[in-house]
Every structure is written in structure tokens, then in C-alpha cells.
Amino acid sequence: MRKKLPIGIDGFEKLRTNDFYYVDKTLFIKELLQNWGEVNLFTRPRRFGKTLNMSMLRSFFEAGSDPALFDGLMIAQEKELCEKYMGKFPVISISLKSVDGRNFKAAADALRTVIGNESKRFLFLLESPSLNEKDKTSYERLINVDSRSDASYAMSDATLIDSLKDLQGKYLHRTEQSEGTHGLGCPV
């Protein structure tokens, strides 16, 4: 039986669990870890697999992800690397594809939605003993929805500006350090 062509599929998990063809690019993970950089910029032309590669990285590093997704792929042969890194971290993964609008306000609201939706994936932070009440209140600013609208996030411009830095540095990183849970205050 032939595999399906993944036309328009940019989610690694969906591609691997639904019997689509996949060109194994998983050694990119090893290369990324060996050639470590504080910041990595991935530029490629449109339709070149950037989103799929980011999805693959998220599936590899994120706590709670399914290691079976990598069965039979090249990275699975790197046992020590997989043991050290696979499924050990909270991963912030956003795409700015949907951030647009006819004016600045519309684009900013679209960005609030992207950041708010991603921030909601870390609701365990509200129960984390590593965060004080001030931090929890600050985190809630990222996920609160405007009471006048059931779809718009209420975060201020100031909150939006620092949202990713705060989510990573103030909340997730602090939880990782104090709880010693490979980046988690959530179940693995």
C-alpha cells in the first residue's frame, strides 16, 4: 500500500501518525545541538519546510510528546542524545502566519491571539509552587480574554511586548530551575 503525499501538511505529528511520506530530516536536531547558538535563524524560501521542521523540533523536545513519532528515523539511532533531550522541556512554538490585518490594531489583536493561545498551553503555571502570586497574576494577563469579547485577549500593549520573554524567562524557566523537572511544573 502506498503512503499518502503530505500536500499542505506542516505538522510533524500528523504526518507521522497518518502514514504520509516523510523525508527524514531528524539529524537536523543533532546538528542544531552540536552547533549551539543562543539564537538560531532559519531562513528558507516559501514552501521549503520551515514550519514542518519547527513542528519536528517541538515534537522532539517537548515534555509529554510521543517518542514513538521518531521510531525508525535517523535521530532514534542517537540514543544518548535522545535520552538527554527528547521530551524534556516546555516548548514555546508560535507561527506568525496568521498575524495580519488591515491596520495596526487588527494585526496587534491577531498577535495577541497567537501569544494568548500559546500561553494557555502552560496553565500548569497557575498551580506551580515555583511562582509567587505576583508572577501568577502576571501570567494571567497573557491568557485573560476580554470580557466584552469571547475571542479577543485582553493583554495590554506593554504585556504583549514582553509576553514571550516573560513566558520563557520569568515563568517557565523559573519553574524548571526550582522544581528540577526538566523545564516542567507539569506532568511528563
Side-chain angles (χ1 to χ4, degrees):
M1 179 129 168
R2 298 176 99 185
K3 291 182 177 275
K4 300 175 271 190
L5 291 174
I7 298 170
I9 307 292
D10 60 6
F12 181 77
E13 183 176 354
K14 185 174 188 177
L15 198 134
R16 293 289 292 160
T17 57
N18 290 293
D19 204 32
F20 285 102
Y21 279 109
Y22 174 68
V23 175
D24 189 349
K25 297 179 184 179
T26 57
L27 286 181
F28 172 62
I29 297 166
K30 180 180 178 183
E31 183 180 327
L32 189 63
L33 289 169
Q34 287 176 337
N35 301 317
W36 183 88
E38 192 167 317
V39 175
N40 295 289
L41 176 64
F42 305 107
T43 59
R44 298 287 185 272
R46 285 175 48 89
R47 312 298 313 153
F48 213 80
K50 295 182 296 295
T51 303
L52 179 58
N53 278 339
M54 295 301 104
S55 177
M56 173 192 64
L57 290 172
R58 176 180 174 180
S59 293
F60 183 82
F61 288 108
E62 187 163 58
S65 59
D66 183 5
L69 293 173
F70 294 90
D71 288 351
L73 298 178
M74 296 294 290
I75 197 67
Q77 296 173 13
E78 302 291 331
K79 303 288 186 206
E80 187 176 311
L81 185 142
C82 288
E83 190 173 303
K84 185 174 181 180
Y85 295 104
M86 185 185 280
K88 304 289 185 187
F89 306 96
V91 175
I92 299 170
S93 179
I94 63 169
S95 171
L96 301 178
K97 286 180 181 181
S98 63
V99 177
D100 65 359
R102 293 189 169 274
N103 56 48
F104 178 80
K105 183 184 177 329
D109 286 345
L111 182 58
R112 280 182 181 83
T113 299
V114 168
I115 301 295
N117 287 341
E118 185 64 10
S119 296
K120 275 189 173 177
R121 291 192 327 105
F122 304 104
L123 288 174
F124 65 86
L125 290 170
L126 293 172
E127 305 299 322
S128 174
S130 303
L131 301 181
N132 61 38
E133 289 308 311
K134 183 180 175 185
D135 290 333
K136 291 176 183 179
T137 299
S138 182
Y139 168 71
E140 285 178 333
R141 289 187 193 119
L142 298 178
I143 61 173
N144 285 337
V145 175
D146 189 341
S147 61
R148 296 166 293 177
S149 166
D150 57 348
S152 298
Y153 285 89
M155 71 182 86
S156 68
D157 288 344
T159 299
L160 178 62
I161 288 167
D162 289 333
S163 59
L164 292 176
K165 180 179 73 169
D166 288 348
L167 182 60
Q168 183 276 325
K170 279 187 182 178
Y171 316 133
L172 293 172
H173 185 68
R174 190 173 302 152
T175 301
E176 171 186 14
Q177 286 184 327
S178 66
E179 295 178 14
T181 53
H182 303 295
L184 269 36
C186 65
V188 177

